[in-house]
Amino acid sequence: ACNQKMLSLETESRLAKLLVATGEVEKKVEIVRQVLAEQSLFEPYAVFQRLDRDTKGYITSKDISLFMKSNAAEVPIANIRTLVKFFDSNMDNKLSYTDFLQIVLPTCNP
């Protein structure tokens, strides 16, 4: 006998909406990554170094926040921390260069 829990129709509907919304956002982000990567002057390591002003070898939420402010983009620090946490491969609250590449480079070729 299979001991599966059933989802209510309302829960299934909410899950379906979440999956659709997530897919739509991911598609938009991927398009931005592709456009960025196609720029002839875009050099990911140079961007990483620009964010890592203290040449620590990693980027923190504070580094990103300072970069955003210097480019007239006010982003709540909580949002930046969420971004760092999502892409931080070893959960040290820092983005390595490899982690950073996951943010800025396309996941597939156009």
Side-chain angles (χ1 to χ4, degrees):
C2 187
N3 196 8
Q4 265 185 315
K5 291 190 177 190
M6 299 295 293
L7 298 177
S8 70
L9 289 176
E10 182 179 346
T11 300
E12 284 190 12
S13 175
R14 287 180 179 166
L15 177 59
K17 288 177 183 176
L18 171 67
L19 294 173
V20 167
T22 301
E24 289 172 353
V25 169
E26 287 296 323
K27 184 177 179 181
K28 290 177 184 177
V29 170
E30 185 63 13
I31 290 169
V32 172
R33 286 181 181 128
Q34 289 173 359
V35 169
L36 182 62
E38 290 170 0
Q39 302 303 306
S40 61
L41 296 178
F42 177 66
E43 172 48 51
Y45 191 66
V47 176
F48 182 83
Q49 289 177 312
R50 165 71 174 83
L51 289 164
D52 179 21
R53 290 183 175 197
D54 300 328
T55 61
K56 305 174 299 293
Y58 58 83
I59 298 169
T60 64
S61 298
K62 183 179 178 183
D63 295 324
I64 296 171
S65 180
L66 290 171
F67 173 80
M68 299 301 284
K69 287 177 183 174
S70 71
N71 285 280
E74 290 291 328
V75 179
I77 192 69
N79 293 13
I80 296 170
R81 286 187 184 123
T82 299
L83 175 76
V84 169
K85 186 176 181 179
F86 186 81
F87 287 97
D88 177 12
S89 61
N90 63 356
M91 299 180 290
D92 62 356
N93 294 316
K94 301 170 187 171
L95 295 176
S96 66
Y97 181 60
T98 304
D99 295 336
F100 175 73
L101 292 177
Q102 297 299 312
I103 297 172
V104 298
L105 292 182
T107 58
C108 60
N109 292 326

